[in-house]
Structure formats: C-alpha cells, structure tokens
Amino acid sequence: EQRILEFIQQQGLPAEGVLVSIGERMVVFTNISSVLNKLEPERRGSSVYISKFIAAVTSGLFDAALNYLWDETIYELRKRVAQYDLAYFYDVAVGNNTDKRKKLNSADDLQKIDDSELIKGALDIGLISELGYKHLDFIRYMRNWASAAHPNQNQITGIQLVSMLETCIVEVIRLPLSNIIVEIKQLLGNI
C-alpha cells in the first residue's frame, strides 16, 4: 500500500484520503464470511461483482466496492424480473409514461429503465418487500452520492459496507427465481 501511495505522490497526484484505512478494511473482513454464508454456494460461484467488491475492499477503495455491490444487485434483480410477466412489470414500473413504455418489450429492455424504476417496480409487483425496497433505495442513494459512480468526497465505513452487502444478498441476490408472486398479484388485480 505504501508503495502505491508513494507512486501516486511521485506522479504529482494527491495520495491523502485515496484509500480507506486498514482498520476499516479489517472490519469488513471480520464480518464478511457470516454475510456471504447467507448466499448459496452455487449462487456465490457466479457472483463476479461480489468478487470485485472484495478486491476493491482489499485495495481500500470502498467507493468502488459499493459500485460493484450495486452492479451485482441490479444484475440479479433484472434476472428475477425477467422471469415474470414483463408486460405487466413494464406497465407497473413506468406507469403513465407511454412513450417510454412503447419501447419496453423484452428482457433486454430492462437495461432501459432506471435503477429507481426497477426497484420500485419490483416492490409494486411483490418481488421485494416494503422494508427491502427502503433499504435498497437507500443503497441506491449511497451508490449515487458516496461511491465512485459520481464525484464526491464522502466516506463509507466498513460496518456500513458490510450492512449494505447483507441487505443486497438478503433482499435480492438470494431471492428464488420464481414467478408465482407476480402471477397471483396480476390475477388478483385483474379480478
């Protein structure tokens, strides 16, 4: 770490506050195993962004780690939404925006809706709980204002980062791939 910081300084770049302290990184590593144990081994084996999350934590780049965690969460949420009646989901997610709705037809079009629309739509179709939605919306906010996604000088602690990882795993990543909830909700809505 010291060599990296010295190299950065030799290039005339600021090195102060670039990396999170080793103590904060240790907080993550002390707690991460118990959080990752909530994720089934087969799902863990395909979670590339969680691997990148851990690499970013190791490097002391919590802002980048939060980005990777959010990428994994959105990727997994899109997979689950794609299992459902997409026409119904798009109707719920974009509401009265008919111009936007006309352009949404297939699972590939999930990329065209904002993260906020995706998680709100997931709530509205019953895929995630109200509490899960609130937590995810907070993590989305933090991703926008305290991560490498946008310029900022905000800090994230190790406990906050582990807590966000746990929320994303519990509320989205370990959700089963099933469409029963939406079919029942749509049926009841039609009645």
Side-chain angles (χ1 to χ4, degrees):
E1 176 177 311
Q2 191 58 39
R3 287 185 189 153
I4 291 170
L5 293 175
E6 287 171 4
F7 178 78
I8 290 170
Q9 287 175 325
Q10 288 170 358
Q11 305 310 309
L13 297 168
E16 188 71 29
V18 172
L19 304 178
V20 174
S21 73
I22 292 174
E24 284 298 320
R25 292 181 235 176
M26 291 307 299
V27 168
V28 175
F29 286 110
T30 300
N31 295 288
I32 201 164
S33 291
S34 64
V35 173
L36 289 176
N37 285 336
K38 296 178 181 195
L39 193 57
E40 300 85 13
E42 61 276 357
R43 189 114 350 112
R44 207 178 309 162
S46 64
S47 298
V48 174
Y49 288 113
I50 291 181
S51 295
K52 290 181 178 193
F53 167 88
I54 292 171
V57 167
T58 303
S59 302
L61 299 171
F62 281 14
D63 55 350
L66 181 53
N67 258 6
Y68 289 129
L69 174 59
W70 190 247
D71 289 347
E72 183 75 28
T73 303
I74 292 302
Y75 172 75
E76 290 292 335
L77 191 55
R78 284 181 182 145
K79 277 187 357 187
R80 279 147 188 79
V81 167
Q83 296 274 310
Y84 298 116
D85 181 344
L86 282 173
Y88 175 65
F89 174 78
Y90 288 136
D91 288 343
V92 168
V94 297
N96 295 331
N97 189 343
T98 55
D99 290 336
K100 187 172 189 174
R101 176 62 185 97
K102 289 176 188 175
K103 299 174 186 173
L104 303 172
N105 299 304
S106 70
D108 293 336
D109 296 330
L110 286 168
Q111 304 275 351
K112 297 176 184 175
I113 65 171
D114 299 334
D115 293 352
S116 59
E117 293 171 321
L118 180 69
I119 61 173
K120 180 68 167 91
L123 167 68
D124 291 344
I125 66 169
L127 182 59
I128 60 175
S129 68
E130 180 74 31
L131 187 62
Y133 167 77
K134 294 288 187 187
H135 283 285
L136 290 171
D137 197 44
F138 172 73
I139 295 168
R140 182 191 62 79
Y141 177 86
M142 292 298 289
R143 185 259 181 193
N144 287 337
W145 299 106
S147 81
H150 302 286
N152 72 83
Q153 296 303 315
N154 298 313
Q155 300 295 316
I156 304 166
T157 69
I159 291 292
Q160 289 170 326
L161 200 57
V162 168
S163 176
M164 288 187 256
L165 173 64
E166 181 177 42
T167 296
C168 291
I169 286 174
V170 169
E171 297 296 336
V172 174
I173 299 169
R174 76 174 189 185
L175 282 176
L177 294 169
S178 169
N179 63 359
I180 300 282
I181 295 171
V182 173
E183 289 177 12
I184 291 171
K185 187 164 185 159
Q186 184 180 12
L187 176 65
L188 292 174
N190 289 341
I191 291 173

